[in-house]
Amino acid sequence: MQDDLIERARTWLAEDPDPRTRDELARLVAAASSGEPAAAADLAARFAGTLRFGTAGLRGELGAGPMRMNRSVVIRAAAGLAAYLKAHGAGPDALVVVGYDARHLSADFARDTAAVMTGAGLRAALLPRPLPTPVLAYAIRRLGAVAGVEVTASHNPPRDNGYKVYLGDGSQIVPPADGEIAAAIDAVGPLAGVGRPESGWQVLGEEVLDAYLERTDAVLTAGSPRTARIVHTALHGVGTSVVTAAFARAGFPEPVLVAEQAEPDPDFPTVAFPNPEEPGAMDLAFATARREHPDLVIANDPDADRCAVAVPDPDADGGWRMLRGDEVGALLAAHLVERGATGVFAASIVSSSLLGRIAERAGLGHEETLTGFKWIARVEGLRYGYEEALGYCVDPDGVRDKDGVTAALLVAELASALKERGRTLLDLLDDLALAHGLHATDQLSVRVEDLTVIADAMARLRERPPASLAGLAVTSAEDLSAGSAALPPTDGLRYRLDGARVIVRPSGTEPKLKCYLEVVVPVGSAAALPAARAEAARLLAGIKKDLAAAAGI
């Protein structure tokens, strides 16, 4: 067993094109061969299988071996994608656009992808520098590409990287394309047979970014107020230059930057997790806001496809309150309705049901999809889509994916319009509660080291679904893995209660079990809002406690 492991590692080592991972693996093989238990365990973990390509593409920890993100794995992925594209009719004129963020090895993975596409007889074009993911999604449609690749791990920890694939409509892959690409990757032979010329691909100029920035103007109403002042943090990602350029073009005051987090840094030195939703990630932004007194704080995640919003609130700890993704999603929907938007509003099933009520009252279509913009972006007639994890698609004709830059612009426009009337985003949230009931959401999220914890929790809930949560009877328990006429199958559970809803699912991108909770409390008058909020908080806390017990987490 040990000899076989060492032999497989040496075979991998012999064709690894990266001297860094070759050295890393050689040291590990030597240590394991000499009998070091920790080295043997590490080697076994790296060769326990292959990093699997799925609807989220690839994502994993950087390092040597088939279970890590490295140049060998990326070259195989690119070769498989090229084979898939050619099998589906892509010829010598077919273009693949490649973008990348500022994480460790992102530029290397992007160049390898361009080289493989060129060697496979396709055209390849690299974005000019590390740029937000929505710029890549935009470029695919603008340039008429058959596919696009974004090298990013989004808001994952610094040790991770990833590989996200889009097809020619500018939206992320869904089944069966993911399975077909995975099969093509598995069919790739020795790396020596994968052509990787030293040149032959195009490096795009700044004109592609200029075109994207020009397109961002389309999300705003001509002549609308542009007075909102924001503090902005890119969380050490690639958002700063694009956000500041977009705000300047639109005529907003220059954003105040969180200096410590404004420049790209793959080590993310000021945050444990570069995700605005994680505890502590916004501390520096709030400190800057307390000095600068802006109207809003806006944060992007490292690849700037997500947008977080915080507002002044004297009742909040530190004077600033982070809005939930569902709250921002409802606010943007209300703003678009007021502007006369037509078309379909869509959200994932884990997002608040408030969007459906807003759309219904406005006479607009509404669709629910599985989690992820790969599904939301495919809704026919889409005008606006969002999901609770801070993702918003406000210009589907330009970017058929979540876009943290255009979302930031639209939030700032809404805040400016309210400011002119002496009102705030919190006032508008109160209006929505009075019109549709108080929709309060929360999440029970458990990060694990051992993925069997998640599998065990899902099995426990399937075998013994709860009869009630927080004293509310469970009126239906739906296993989403069975699929339905409305939704494809997915690993998840949905419970409906009287005035509440719970969805439980494993995360598709992180080692987490995620439980999405929503309660709806009727509100008769503005005076009843504080009591409604207290009742919602009580119910959410009770549901969270009872659900954790039922799942054994």
Side-chain angles (χ1 to χ4, degrees):
M1 186 71 150
Q2 178 75 358
D3 290 345
D4 176 64
L5 176 62
I6 295 293
E7 184 58 34
R8 283 190 289 128
R10 285 177 174 154
T11 300
W12 182 275
L13 180 61
E15 64 173 15
D16 189 338
D18 191 334
R20 292 162 294 195
T21 44
R22 280 203 309 270
D23 289 347
E24 176 187 329
L25 188 55
R27 289 193 301 271
L28 196 57
V29 167
S33 299
S34 67
E36 292 185 19
D42 189 3
L43 195 64
R46 292 168 185 254
F47 284 83
T50 302
L51 203 60
R52 298 306 300 169
F53 186 93
T55 52
L58 294 169
R59 197 173 291 188
E61 184 177 349
L62 291 165
M67 287 294 288
R68 300 287 186 268
M69 281 296 296
N70 51 63
R71 290 184 62 198
S72 294
V73 165
V74 165
I75 289 166
R76 289 182 177 279
L81 175 59
Y84 166 85
L85 294 172
K86 293 174 74 173
H88 284 76
D93 291 331
L95 175 67
V96 178
V97 186
V98 185
Y100 56 103
D101 65 12
R103 283 178 177 265
H104 290 296
L105 297 182
S106 285
D108 301 73
F109 295 164
R111 282 193 297 271
D112 280 332
T113 300
V116 170
M117 295 299 162
T118 303
L122 303 173
R123 294 168 54 223
L126 279 173
L127 292 188
R129 54 189 168 87
L131 287 169
T133 293
V135 178
L136 180 277
Y138 168 79
I140 294 167
R141 291 166 67 86
R142 178 172 177 82
L143 300 176
V146 296
V149 172
E150 177 70 16
V151 180
T152 180
S154 188
H155 55 274
N156 275 38
R159 64 179 181 272
D160 290 357
N161 212 328
Y163 199 82
K164 185 183 294 187
V165 175
Y166 296 76
L167 293 181
D169 62 355
S171 58
Q172 298 174 48
I173 56 170
V174 296
D178 58 339
E180 293 177 20
I181 295 170
I185 294 170
D186 290 341
V188 174
L191 288 190
V194 178
R196 286 184 292 123
E198 294 294 322
S199 61
W201 57 87
Q202 178 186 7
V203 178
L204 297 169
E206 293 293 313
E207 66 276 1
V208 68
L209 177 59
D210 292 340
Y212 168 80
L213 287 170
E214 184 176 349
R215 178 73 202 185
T216 62
D217 292 343
V219 307
L220 302 176
T221 301
S224 64
R226 313 282 169 91
T227 58
R229 293 181 63 249
I230 73 162
V231 160
H232 177 262
T233 176
L235 290 180
H236 302 294
V238 296
T240 296
S241 64
V242 180
V243 167
T244 54
F247 271 66
R249 287 179 65 96
F252 285 100
E254 182 178 359
V256 177
L257 303 181
V258 179
E260 301 93 331
Q261 299 173 332
E263 295 302 317
D265 188 331
D267 294 320
F268 303 101
T270 68
V271 289
F273 290 95
N275 179 351
E277 296 176 294
E278 293 285 348
M282 296 293 290
D283 287 354
L284 286 171
F286 292 152
T288 304
R290 285 190 286 271
R291 292 194 308 269
E292 299 289 339
H293 307 290
D295 298 298
L296 298 173
V297 171
I298 291 179
N300 294 120
D301 66 339
D303 68 326
D305 62 350
R306 299 171 194 250
C307 176
V309 180
V311 295
D313 183 352
D315 296 328
D317 184 26
W320 283 85
R321 174 187 155 195
M322 278 282 289
L323 298 182
R324 291 191 172 276
D326 284 316
E327 291 176 314
V328 176
L331 288 168
L332 290 177
H335 184 44
L336 290 170
V337 165
E338 185 175 350
R339 286 179 17 175
T342 59
V344 178
F345 284 10
S348 59
I349 57 172
V350 301
S351 303
S352 174
S353 60
L354 177 56
L355 183 70
R357 299 193 179 193
I358 292 171
E360 181 182 14
R361 178 164 294 191
L364 301 177
H366 173 248
E367 294 282 346
E368 280 191 322
T369 74
L370 293 184
T371 305
F373 268 83
K374 57 185 176 285
W375 299 107
I376 294 171
R378 284 178 162 73
V379 168
E380 188 173 350
L382 181 69
R383 173 59 185 89
Y384 168 64
Y386 96 91
E387 64 180 359
E388 54 74 42
L390 310 181
Y392 314 95
C393 175
V394 301
D395 178 27
D397 290 337
V399 175
R400 214 153 186 84
D401 196 9
K402 55 185 177 292
D403 183 345
V405 180
T406 50
L409 287 171
L410 200 62
V411 168
E413 180 186 61
L414 171 58
S416 299
L418 291 168
K419 185 179 177 180
E420 277 205 344
R421 304 199 292 266
R423 308 186 77 235
T424 68
L425 296 181
L426 294 181
D427 294 328
L428 181 52
L429 286 173
D430 287 350
D431 292 348
L432 292 173
L434 290 169
H436 306 287
L438 178 67
H439 289 62
T441 58
D442 201 355
Q443 189 178 128
L444 172 62
S445 181
V446 181
R447 185 180 292 273
V448 302
E449 294 292 332
D450 181 0
L451 291 178
T452 62
V453 173
I454 294 176
D456 290 347
M458 294 297 293
R460 187 177 293 108
L461 289 170
R462 284 189 166 102
E463 292 166 6
R464 296 184 297 276
S468 66
L469 297 168
L472 301 176
V474 175
T475 57
S476 70
E478 182 182 0
D479 190 340
L480 299 175
S481 66
S484 67
L487 296 171
T490 189
D491 186 9
L493 300 165
R494 176 162 56 184
Y495 303 118
R496 298 187 190 277
L497 302 89
D498 185 17
R501 180 222 65 198
V502 174
I503 293 176
V504 184
R505 60 179 285 271
S507 170
T509 57
E510 298 178 272
K512 284 183 175 181
L513 181 67
K514 304 184 88 170
C515 310
Y516 305 85
L517 324 176
E518 180 181 41
V519 298
V520 182
V521 179
V523 182
S525 66
L529 274 169
R533 290 196 182 95
E535 175 64 3
R538 184 190 70 80
L539 289 171
L540 288 170
I543 292 173
K544 189 181 292 189
K545 179 182 176 183
D546 291 351
L547 185 63
I553 52 177

